[in-house]
Each structure stands twice: as C-alpha cells, then as structure tokens.
C-alpha cells in the first residue's frame, strides 16, 4: 500500500484522530501538519467519551475494519477519551492532553498517563500535537520501512537547524 497525505477523510486512513469537539480540533493543527509532511493518510472524528458515549462506542467498533493502525486521541479536563478508546481496541493509542481552563492541562496529563494496568496509552506532553504525529509515524515505520527514511531525513533536518543556529550565535562573538 502506498501512503499518500490527505487533508480529507479517506477510507484508507492509517491514523484516526479523535477529538471531543471542534474547539479541541483547533489545538491539533500540528498533528495534521506532521502526518501530512510524512504523507500519512488520516481521518478526523469528533467523539466524546462523556457527551456522546454511544457515538464513541460506534467509532471504536469501526476502527479495525477500516484499517486504522494508530489512533491519536486528545482530551482536556478529566481526559477520558484516550483511555476509553484504549480499553476497547488493540490498536495503539496516543493521547494528547489538552491545556484547559482549570489546571493548565495537568489534570488532563495525569488522567491520560495514569491508565490502569494493562490498558496503556502512549502519552505526549500537554498540547504536544506535533510529537503525536511523529510518534504515529514511528509506529507505522515498523510496518512501512520507507517511513524510516522519512524519519531519518526529519532527524537530519533537526540536526542541521541546531548546527545553523549554533553557527549564527557563535559568529556574533
């Protein structure tokens, strides 16, 4: 299967991004940017563990049959969405805790990272959407070896950026 980036919902999505609201989706632009940069097809769904549990259960039940291989789920506050999804599927789940209004995202981080024994969620830092996209690519690279080259190129670009900044700082002395 050849991977291609898309900003549209696709039948061949390898990554499913689950968010509880459109408002939450605004904070996930970077995950879509990362997946697009690696040409990984994805879909986005609005599902909410507390507000729409029946819809969330339907969403989870369809993931495997659609061929989704990684799930990225974000949530704020009590942040139950990533854990609920992880409890009902064997597909790897990456959780992104979102900064909220009450505890600046610490409540979400602790809710996602402190999953019960046997129900893991790979948890990113608060509002770390880009890293979630990169981590999804790393997981997929186990099955799609050419993604390893794209990841190596990504790491090389990071290295070159740091080297250039170092030269810039040291040329001013």
């Amino acid at each position: 299967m050849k991977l291609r980036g898309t900003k549209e919902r696709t039948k061949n999505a390898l990554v499913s991004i689950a968010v509880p609201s459109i408002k939450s989706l605004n904070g996930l632009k970077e995950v879509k940017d990362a997946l697009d940069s690696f040409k990984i097809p994805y879909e986005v769904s609005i599902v909410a563990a507390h507000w729409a549990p029946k819809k969330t259960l339907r969403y989870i039940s369809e993931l495997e049959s659609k061929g989704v291989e990684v799930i990225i789920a974000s949530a704020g506050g009590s942040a139950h969405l990533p854990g609920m999804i992880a409890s009902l599927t064997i597909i790897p789940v990456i959780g992104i805790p979102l900064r909220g209004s009450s505890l600046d995202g610490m409540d979400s981080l602790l809710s996602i990272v402190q999953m019960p024994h046997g129900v893991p969620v790979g948890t990113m830092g608060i509002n770390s959407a880009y890293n979630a996209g990169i981590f999804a690519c790393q997981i997929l690279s186990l099955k799609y070896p050419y993604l390893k080259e794209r990841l190596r190129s990504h790491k090389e670009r990071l290295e070159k950026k740091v080297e250039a900044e170092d030269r810039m700082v040291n040329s001013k002395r």
Side-chain angles (χ1 to χ4, degrees):
M1 174 176 164
K2 186 172 181 176
L3 299 181
R4 57 185 169 72
T6 180
K7 291 186 178 181
E8 300 172 12
R9 199 173 177 100
T10 174
K11 291 180 189 175
N12 298 324
L14 295 180
V15 176
S16 185
I17 302 168
V19 296
S21 68
I22 289 177
K23 181 181 175 186
S24 298
L25 185 60
N26 295 334
L28 296 183
K29 181 186 180 309
E30 287 186 345
V31 74
K32 295 187 288 183
D33 291 345
L35 295 172
D36 283 338
S37 72
F38 285 95
K39 297 180 177 22
I40 296 172
Y42 60 88
E43 66 175 21
V44 178
S45 296
I46 306 293
V47 293
H50 297 122
W51 297 333
K54 291 175 187 170
K55 181 181 188 334
T56 304
L57 290 172
R58 282 192 312 272
Y59 162 79
I60 296 166
S61 71
E62 297 168 355
L63 291 171
E64 287 183 46
S65 65
K66 292 193 307 186
V68 170
E69 297 183 27
V70 178
I71 303 158
I72 298 174
S74 67
S78 60
H80 285 115
L81 184 59
M84 180 181 183
I85 294 170
S87 73
L88 294 168
T89 185
I90 60 168
I91 300 170
V93 177
I94 301 169
I96 306 171
L98 299 176
R99 185 166 282 117
S101 58
S102 59
L103 297 173
D104 209 29
M106 285 302 296
D107 49 346
S108 306
L109 173 65
L110 294 173
S111 291
I112 297 172
V113 80
Q114 290 290 70
M115 289 299 298
H117 183 81
V119 186
V121 172
T123 309
M124 300 293 108
I126 298 168
N127 284 13
S128 293
Y130 192 79
N131 278 352
I134 298 297
F135 192 51
C137 184
Q138 290 174 323
I139 292 169
L140 291 168
S141 76
L142 297 171
K143 183 174 180 181
Y144 304 100
Y146 64 91
L147 285 174
K148 291 179 183 181
E149 288 307 312
R150 292 180 184 171
L151 285 163
R152 282 186 188 94
S153 294
H154 170 73
K155 298 283 187 178
E156 287 172 14
R157 284 190 301 276
L158 294 175
E159 184 77 26
K160 288 177 183 176
K161 180 181 177 190
V162 171
E163 292 289 349
E165 289 179 359
D166 183 53
R167 282 191 301 277
M168 185 173 45
V169 167
N170 284 309
S171 69
K172 293 181 180 180
R173 287 202 263 175

